[in-house]
Structure formats: structure tokens, C-alpha cells
Amino acid sequence: MLDAETPGALPRDPAGALALLERMQLLRAFEEKVAELYASGQVAGLVHLAIGQEATAVGVCGLLRPGDTVYGGHRSHGHALATGADPERLLAEIAGRVSGYARGKGGSMHLVAADTGFVTATGVVAGNISLALGGAFAAQLRGTGGVAVAFFGDGAGQSGQFHESLNLAALWRLPVLFVCENNGYAEFSPLSAHTGVERLATHAATYGIPAVTVDGNDLGAVREAAAVAIQRARRGEGPSFVECLTYRLRGHYEGDPAKYRDRAELAAWRAKDPIERLAGRLADAGLVDAEAAADANRRARAIIAAAADAVLASGPAPAGDLTTDVTA
Amino acid sequence: MTATEIRMVDAIREAMRAELAADPSVVLLGEDVSVGGPFGATKGLQDEFGAARIRDTPISEAAVMGLAVGAAAAGLRPIVEIMFMDFATLALDQLVNHAAKLRYMSGGQLSIPLTVRMQAGASGAFGAHHSQSLEAWLAHVPGLKVVAASTPADAYGLLRAAIRDPDPVVVIEHRALYWGRGPVETGEAAIVPLASAVVRRPGIDATIVSWSRMTVTALAAADLLAAEGIQAEVIDLRGLQPMDTATVLASVRRTGRAVVAHEAVGFGGLGAEVAARIGEDAFDALRAPVERVAAPFTPVPAAPDLERAFVPDAAAIAAAVRRTLARPDPRRRSLEEGR
Ligand SMILES: Cc1ncc(C[n+]2csc(CCOP(=O)(O)OP(=O)(O)O)c2C)c(N)n1
Ligand SMILES: [Mg+2]
């Protein structure tokens, strides 16, 4: 297990604490906007939202520094945003507009924001995990002290890629952080339908990787665990595994009525909303009062509203781009 | 530099050595590469370049290929050795869904300068899991490049070009050619552009298009035909994706007859692509239908006698050329019918 001694879960200064809260609010506002645009037909395709899971993305990415790299999956709008990617260009990419990061050629499941170290997302469950090893390998070979982060769900834990990657990362002591966002479901079925293993973190022990399971809706807990893991990686001590127990408050994809889970379960997780919990905790600590939190939320929503206006004013993905960027 | 006669497997090693020496971002990953693998292609490289850059991997083709793709995205130039092309099946997700598409999906933000060496082909009675020629699968994927050499000089020149290329390149190496010798120059001038077919033997009566080991067989077929007074032109495609069809079409416009020979099975093979291109762009020059010579549509058998029967031989290629020559010239026929 990871060392329980923590290098400070939450910032003690009001500005640092507020910045984290505002980043989570930004993710929430962004994805609510995506849902709205999807409902109005401005966004097409398969769209997976991570509303309710913002603490994992912000908790981990808030600890990274320039040169670190992040690799997401199909539910990774928030991971990209948490690295500092431009919300307008991300939204434009998801909406298939020319102003998107890839001028619409990637889309929701294949976001790339190379400028902030968000190397890639993938539509192939677990396909990003080994890619993250490559980022870590490059950092190790060059001695940069850089760290690579792979975000994946509980569903990825049953794939061969996952197990091969854990073994290889441990064998080569790669500076990689495996972040499993265990939201209890893969598509329409619970984890128990996929594996007899209750906690994905237990797989890490097989490969000699330090691991911990934390409350993924508690930003402080995520940061504590991630900080220890990142420190280990930077010191050349190899990979770590952080399993974050969380929940997606919407369906698997937009349009999924999510009839496979009951109202009581949903209500219980709504009560554990990571943004409200953080706001409450910061207020209790005297760091950010309710008014400052509300102001931050208004700012986040204004940023997203402006981004959406710009996206809708931007042109469609141009036909001339269809055959470019296939090879150099 | 003057050319020395070396084996293809040594030419492959020399190409890697040259690029490893020239560029510290080149790394080599594969099973047992430190000791040279089963064929000695990587022997001695770890002694020269160190264990950090020449890495033995566990038998985890998917994770290793994914790691290489990620490392390429981060600016390294990895060479991955897939011990037998048959095992590329285990790494197809990383190759087809990630390496091939990341430039496109990122709108050009990412570049994947990855080289994947795959030893392939039916020889030595290795059986169904160590003998396949799967180039058509890979050449079908937008974003991947595919090359195959038939001479030591090309094995050297194409591999160096592949390692320098900004895109993922699959380099197919035929095991039956590994120990054949040929003159190899080792300088920069010996680098071979990836999409450059070459006329191996000029001729005026028919064009034989081939690649990898089948080029050697095609040249033997051309010898058989020459004894009968038939001059076959032999084209070595070298680049399979992208493909230098201009060289093929120019030849077919001269000869009017074409045979495509490959070791992969015929259905959906690249011979069909070559035939289609000739049909689309040189139909008016054709005096006979394009013939294909390929392996029968079966897995590769293990028994030596069956393996021999599986791999097309010079006689089969020569027979196909004769068939194209035996066809009445359709233009003459229509002239006669019109009379
Ligand atoms: C290799 C692969 N198989 C199947 C799918 C279809 N699919 C998309 S998301 C998903 C469930 C993933 O569950 P999990 O990893 O827990 O992530 P979550 O959706 O819960 O965030 C599946 C099966 C896929 N995209 N990739
Ligand atoms: Mg899940």
C-alpha cells in the first residue's frame, strides 16, 4: 500500500484552495454544456460524461507540472480540462468544429491537447494504459523527472492490456501513475458482472506495485494518494496505483436512460457530490466562504458560456481536411 | 563507400546500428534482443548502445507496442521487433487503432515515428503460427506504411528510411532471405525511399510485379522464360503502402501483360490491389487479363512437402506469364472481328 503519510491533501492558502474548487466547477459547467448541446443536436456521436467524477481528474492533474503527460479514455473531457486545456477548443472538437484541437477529426473520445500534456484519449477501453507507459519510458530515458498518468475505468481492469502494462511498468520501474476511476459500472452492468475481484487495486499487489483505494469523491483524499504516487515516480521508485471509488451521475453515454441502477443508489451518490463536499470542507476550514464559492462558480459558467458561443459561431470541420494528417 | 557482400540479417543489424549511432532517440524493444533474438538480427547492439536503449521485453506484445507508440508520441524513435509476424495479431490494437490514427485524430498535433520489424514468411516448416504473410492487413490501414525488401541492400536502405520516417512503418523481413548475401553500401546514399518500386530485370514481353521473397522467385521465373525466348520484366515493389504504382503502370504500358506474384493467400491480397490499379489506369495497354500467383487459401501447413506446395514457385509464375502470352491479343481480335 502507498505510504499513508501525506504531503498535504489540500492547499492551506485560500487562493490555492479556491483554484481547485473553481477548476472542478469548470469541469461540471463544461460537461453540462456538452449535455445541453447534445440535447439540442449541436453535438453528435457517442458522448460519455464524467459528471460526478470531477475530483479524480482535478485531484490528480492539479499536482502535475509541465512535461508530465496524461492519457485518458472514452470519458475524458474532464481529464483534458484538468490539465489546463482550452475549454473552447475542446468544446469545438467535441462539436466537430474547425476551431477544435484537431479541427473536428478527433471528437469526444479522441481528444488531444498536446500543449498541456494531454497526449491522448482513446475509444478503446484500456488502449491508453500502455501508451502512458511510453510517455513514462521517454521521461525515464531522458531523465526529466516527468511522470505519466493513465486514467481508466473499472471495466479496463479485466483487459489483457491492463495486466501486461502493470507488469511491464513494474518491471522497468516506469514513472507512471495508474488511476482507476472505479464508478461501479462498465456500460450497463456492475463490476460484479465483470470480475470476482472487488477492488481493482488488489491487482497491483500481484505485480509489486504500491496501491491504495480512496474515496474518489473526496478531492483531498485523491490528492493525498496521488501526491505520494507522483513523488515516488519522480524519485525513480516506479509506478503506483490509485483506485478512486466514484460514480457517474449521468448515464453511460448521453441518451442512456440508465435503467440498470436504482434511484436510491443515485440519490446516495448525489449526496456525495464531490464539488459540494469540497465547498463544504473549504468553508468549514475557513478557506473559502459560500459567497466566494458561488462567485467562482459564476466565473466558471461564464467561461463556458462564452466558449460555447464562440464554438457555435465557428465553422464546421472543413471538407478539405478530410484527407490531410493521414501521414506526414 | 564501396559495397561489401553481406547477409541480409547483417544488413538489418547494420541499418539499426547506423541509426542508433546517429540519433540518441532511437531505441530498440523486443523479446531477447540483447542476445540477438532467434535469428541474430540484433546481436551485439546492447553491448554497443547499452541496456537502457536496447531493451529485452516480456512476452507482452500489446503492452510493448503500446509503450512504443506512447514513446514515439513523446519524441523517441522506437524500433519494435515482432519476432514472428503472426504475433502482430496481439498488438494490432496499438498498431491499427493508435499508431496509425494518432496523427489524424490529433489534427497533426502528434507524430508517431515508430518502426516495427516483423520477421515473416513460410520457410523451414515452422507451421501455421510462425509463417504468415499478413501485409495486406496492414497496408489496408490509413496511417501505416509498409515495406518489404528482397535484397540485403534494400533491407539496409529501407530500414534506415523507416527509422527516420515521421510515421509508423512496418518493415517485413522474410526469414528465407536472412542468410542470402548481396552487395550492401553503408552510407547515407544507400538509404532507399519507402515508396520506390524498382525494375530488377528489364524485359519487353510481360511485367511480373512482386515483393519480398517472391521477387527472388520471380527472377528465377524470368530465367526460365528467357530460355524460351520470353523476356519478362521483374518489378520489386519494395513499398507496399504507399505503393509506387507509377513504376508498375509504366512497365505494363510497355509490355501489355502483367502477373502479380505474392506469398500471401490470394483472396484480398495486395495482388488484387495491383491488378485493380492496372485495370483502372492501364486498361487500354493490356493485351491479356492480369494474372495473380499467390498461395492457396489455406493456413500455412507444417509438413515440408505441404509447405513447398503452399509457396508459389518459379514454375507457377512462369506458367502465369505464358498464359498472358497465349491469350489472343484483344485489340487484334476486335480488328479481325470488325473486318
Ligand atoms: C476494447 C473495448 N471494448 C468494448 C468497448 C465498448 N465500451 C465502451 S465504454 C465501455 C465500458 C467501460 O467501463 P469502464 O472502464 O468502467 O469505464 P466507464 O465507462 O465506467 O467510465 C465499453 C464496454 C470499447 N470501447 N472498447
Ligand atoms: Mg466504470
Side-chain angles (χ1 to χ4, degrees):
Chain A
M1 291 290 122
L2 287 174
D3 193 342
E5 312 257 314
T6 66
L10 288 176
R12 305 245 164 104
D13 63 303
L18 185 64
L20 289 171
L21 178 66
E22 190 169 339
R23 185 53 67 92
M24 285 173 65
Q25 291 166 331
L26 187 80
L27 265 63
R28 177 69 57 93
F30 182 93
E31 293 219 292
E32 286 181 357
K33 181 61 75 178
V34 173
E36 190 187 309
L37 295 180
Y38 181 87
S40 68
Q42 302 283 359
V43 163
L46 279 172
V47 175
H48 309 81
L49 302 181
I51 289 174
Q53 300 185 185
E54 293 88 349
T56 51
V58 173
V60 175
C61 296
L63 296 164
L64 300 179
R65 63 188 197 199
D68 293 337
T69 49
V70 177
Y71 306 77
H74 58 283
R75 197 180 301 287
S76 275
H77 303 162
H79 303 137
L81 275 173
T83 65
D86 178 0
E88 185 185 320
R89 292 179 71 195
L90 282 178
L91 192 59
E93 186 59 33
I94 294 163
R97 305 293 170 126
V98 65
S99 53
Y101 267 98
R103 297 188 308 286
K105 287 154 96 163
S108 166
M109 286 191 282
H110 320 97
L111 298 173
V112 174
D115 54 346
T116 58
F118 189 77
V119 179
T120 190
T122 176
V124 181
V125 168
N128 58 320
I129 302 178
S130 57
L131 263 55
L133 264 55
F137 175 74
Q140 182 187 64
L141 196 73
R142 291 168 168 156
T144 62
V147 170
V149 179
F151 284 101
F152 51 88
D154 45 295
Q158 286 65 252
S159 76
Q161 290 248 16
F162 168 91
H163 289 274
E164 286 190 11
S165 296
L166 259 61
N167 179 65
L168 187 56
L171 185 71
W172 290 4
R173 294 175 76 86
L174 296 174
V176 60
L177 172 52
F178 298 107
V179 182
C180 177
E181 297 179 286
N182 181 350
N183 60 13
Y185 288 87
E187 281 188 352
F188 323 123
S189 44
L191 183 61
S192 59
H194 293 257
T195 177
V197 174
E198 208 171 315
R199 293 278 173 262
L200 278 301
T202 57
H203 288 307
T206 304
Y207 302 104
I209 297 175
V212 65
T213 299
V214 300
D215 178 344
N217 281 19
D218 176 347
L219 183 83
V222 173
R223 276 174 62 92
E224 265 178 41
V228 175
I230 290 168
Q231 215 172 56
R232 289 190 68 247
R234 291 208 203 287
R235 284 198 301 246
E237 292 167 21
S240 305
F241 192 108
V242 177
E243 178 180 25
C244 303
L245 302 180
T246 184
Y247 198 81
R248 56 169 159 76
L249 293 174
R250 296 184 73 90
H252 172 57
Y253 51 78
E254 283 310 277
D256 170 17
K259 294 202 170 120
Y260 44 87
R261 55 188 198 185
D262 64 35
R263 277 161 199 265
E265 182 182 280
L266 186 60
W269 279 97
R270 272 196 203 291
K272 291 194 275 189
D273 185 307
I275 299 178
E276 283 167 26
R277 276 173 73 187
L278 178 66
R281 196 164 148 195
L282 295 180
D284 290 349
L287 284 169
V288 178
D289 61 26
E291 198 179 324
D295 281 345
N297 196 32
R298 272 190 290 276
R299 279 197 301 275
R301 288 187 182 269
I303 290 169
I304 298 305
D309 288 345
V311 166
L312 294 180
S314 158
D321 275 4
L322 177 64
T323 55
T324 59
D325 298 323
V326 178
T327 54
Chain B
M1 234 176 258
T2 51
T4 46
E5 291 262 329
I6 59 172
R7 304 179 305 173
M8 182 185 276
V9 70
D10 301 321
I12 289 164
R13 185 183 325 104
E14 286 313 309
M16 288 189 280
R17 172 177 282 137
E19 292 302 321
L20 282 158
D23 183 350
S25 66
V26 178
V27 297
L28 171 64
L29 313 169
E31 291 154 19
D32 289 327
V33 290
S34 65
V35 294
F39 307 103
T42 57
K43 205 172 164 104
L45 294 176
Q46 194 181 66
D47 295 338
E48 196 172 340
F49 298 102
R53 290 174 67 197
I54 311 296
R55 294 252 180 158
D56 286 334
T57 72
I59 308 161
S60 302
E61 279 80 4
V64 171
M65 189 70 78
L67 181 147
V69 174
L76 297 184
R77 292 187 173 272
I79 307 167
V80 174
E81 177 174 297
I82 295 291
M83 194 184 283
F84 288 82
M85 191 181 204
D86 314 69
F87 311 150
T89 50
L90 295 151
L92 280 182
D93 170 54
Q94 296 308 330
L95 207 49
V96 172
N97 287 324
H98 295 93
K101 295 174 177 47
L102 282 171
R103 177 184 297 283
Y104 192 84
M105 296 192 300
S106 70
Q109 293 176 81
L110 299 179
S111 194
I112 310 296
L114 166 72
T115 300
V116 185
R117 295 181 36 242
M118 297 188 187
Q119 180 273 129
S123 114
F126 285 17
H129 292 165
H130 295 73
S131 301
Q132 293 171 85
S133 295
L134 300 172
E135 64 268 24
W137 288 6
L138 301 169
H140 189 66
V141 178
L144 292 184
K145 296 175 179 173
V146 184
V147 297
S150 74
T151 68
D154 280 355
Y156 177 87
L158 289 170
L159 181 51
R160 288 197 66 178
I163 297 167
R164 291 181 177 199
D165 197 81
D167 291 308
V169 183
V170 174
V171 179
I172 299 172
E173 302 170 358
H174 202 296
R175 156 168 91 249
L177 301 178
Y178 266 171
W179 294 276
R181 287 178 186 273
V184 176
E185 302 203 26
T186 51
E188 294 270 321
I191 293 175
V192 176
L194 295 178
S196 59
V198 62
V199 176
R200 286 272 172 236
R201 172 181 177 131
I204 53 169
D205 295 322
T207 300
I208 306 174
V209 182
S210 58
W211 54 93
S212 188
R213 192 247 301 254
M214 260 318 109
T215 299
V216 177
T217 312
L219 288 168
D223 280 342
L224 294 177
L225 293 164
E228 302 165 20
I230 299 168
Q231 294 180 45
E233 177 148 298
V234 177
I235 292 180
D236 185 352
L237 221 39
R238 301 199 290 202
L240 305 178
Q241 178 57 254
M243 193 186 274
D244 173 10
T245 46
T247 297
V248 174
L249 293 169
S251 173
V252 173
R253 287 201 187 97
R254 284 194 301 273
T255 62
R257 295 178 171 87
V259 171
V260 197
H262 58 64
E263 186 179 312
V265 300
F267 188 96
L270 288 181
E273 181 66 30
V274 174
R277 292 294 188 90
I278 294 171
E280 284 162 1
D281 296 332
F283 183 71
D284 49 342
L286 282 177
R287 300 183 201 191
V290 179
E291 288 268 348
R292 286 185 291 161
V293 178
F297 197 64
T298 71
V300 183
D305 291 304
L306 292 178
E307 186 188 80
R308 260 193 299 282
F310 175 87
V311 179
D313 60 9
I317 297 174
V321 170
R322 285 188 211 102
R323 282 197 299 276
T324 66
L325 286 158
R327 290 262 182 177
D329 184 331
R331 287 176 303 187
R332 177 166 302 161
R333 193 176 58 204
S334 56
L335 277 177
E336 281 161 3
E337 280 163 2
R339 216 183 272 143

